[in-house]
Amino acid sequence: FLDNDLFLIGPETDFYPADSCKFIAKLGSVMCLIGTGEDLTGFDVSYPNYYEAYPPDWANWLEEVPVSIATTQDLGFFWICTANQTYTAQITGVTEGVAPVQLEKKSSIYGCIGEGATVCVNGMLFSLSAGKTPVMLAPDGRTDDTFGMVVKGYFTASGNFNEKTRLIWDEKTNSVIYACGTKAITYQLDTKLWSAPLTLWALTPAFNNCLSCLRSSFVLTLVPLCRTQ
């Protein structure tokens, strides 16, 4: 390129290259890098429509290393969980001067146990905390850690759930599935009922292949004694 050619391309946006990160998520016209820096706690935001440029004065920091993120599709924010805290990253609409994404802590008590232990359903975050407590968080910070008390013993039983736990929302049955290895249990959002525990015929890495098994075996066979308030 000649100098004049580079000027037309807009080289000023290339001054701040992306750092390595643990997670990446797109919000509107910007890209967010989560878990940057030497201590992996950085949060970097790109220029709008320039995903290769991350101005250092827009950088923010988490208090702990991020463990998991959960996207909300088109709701304008996503969730970030560390081991003991939960944040939202919200698009602000600001286009000049400051970062167009605001990082806000929503819980100083609960994070999640592992990378796959979060899922977002219509903006609500479902997670399994580091202490193996099922937690539900609303975007305004309201926390429900009681809906899973009736089955907490199953989560805390030795060997049942660990950092490899995965959560998935089954849209067909409107249920949140908690699974680890060959162990699984679900929470049905409409009835607020927990299923009976199930031993899967396949490990959770092949999770999509297990959905038919989960649906036919117990997602629709809920235990009335496990109703939450």
Side-chain angles (χ1 to χ4, degrees):
F1 291 98
L2 299 176
D3 288 344
N4 288 342
D5 296 330
L6 291 174
F7 182 77
L8 293 175
I9 293 174
E12 70 276 2
T13 62
D14 292 323
F15 288 173
Y16 316 112
D19 196 358
S20 59
C21 62
K22 290 195 66 179
F23 304 101
I24 186 167
K26 186 175 181 293
L27 270 182
S29 62
V30 302
M31 195 70 72
C32 301
L33 308 181
I34 307 101
T36 62
E38 293 184 3
D39 59 0
L40 303 179
T41 60
F43 179 83
D44 298 343
V45 181
S46 76
Y47 278 117
N49 299 313
Y50 289 95
Y51 304 149
E52 75 280 10
Y54 296 80
D57 54 344
W58 286 5
N60 208 331
W61 288 269
L62 307 167
E63 295 180 16
E64 299 178 332
V65 176
V67 174
S68 179
I69 68 170
T71 59
T72 60
Q73 295 159 346
D74 299 324
L75 296 181
F77 72 97
F78 62 89
W79 295 92
I80 305 171
C81 286
T82 69
N84 302 292
Q85 299 171 348
T86 300
Y87 298 77
T88 56
Q90 176 84 43
I91 194 80
T92 64
V94 176
T95 58
E96 294 183 4
V98 297
V101 175
Q102 180 181 8
L103 193 63
E104 184 175 353
K105 186 189 296 184
K106 296 298 182 178
S107 176
S108 299
I109 303 174
Y110 293 116
C112 71
I113 195 171
E115 183 174 340
T118 58
V119 69
C120 183
V121 181
N122 298 323
M124 297 288 292
L125 179 72
F126 290 82
S127 64
L128 187 66
S129 74
K132 301 184 180 181
T133 298
V135 178
M136 188 190 319
L137 264 171
D140 61 6
R142 288 179 293 115
T143 304
D144 184 354
D145 58 1
T146 63
F147 76 101
M149 294 305 294
V150 291
V151 292
K152 184 171 173 59
Y154 180 66
F155 286 102
T156 57
S158 177
N160 272 5
F161 287 84
N162 54 38
E163 68 279 359
K164 296 182 180 179
T165 298
R166 292 190 61 187
L167 270 64
I168 188 170
W169 177 48
D170 181 17
E171 185 176 4
K172 183 176 180 179
T173 60
N174 197 26
S175 301
V176 175
I177 303 168
Y178 298 72
C180 185
T182 59
K183 303 293 185 181
I185 192 169
T186 73
Y187 180 68
Q188 214 286 324
L189 302 183
D190 298 320
T191 62
K192 299 182 179 179
L193 291 174
W194 286 93
S195 73
L198 180 75
T199 299
L200 303 177
W201 50 263
L203 295 177
T204 51
F207 211 87
N208 290 335
N209 295 331
C210 295
L211 279 178
S212 60
C213 172
L214 289 163
R215 289 168 180 163
S216 62
S217 299
F218 76 103
V219 170
L220 299 179
T221 308
L222 301 170
V223 181
L225 293 178
C226 291
R227 185 185 299 273
T228 62
Q229 298 297 320

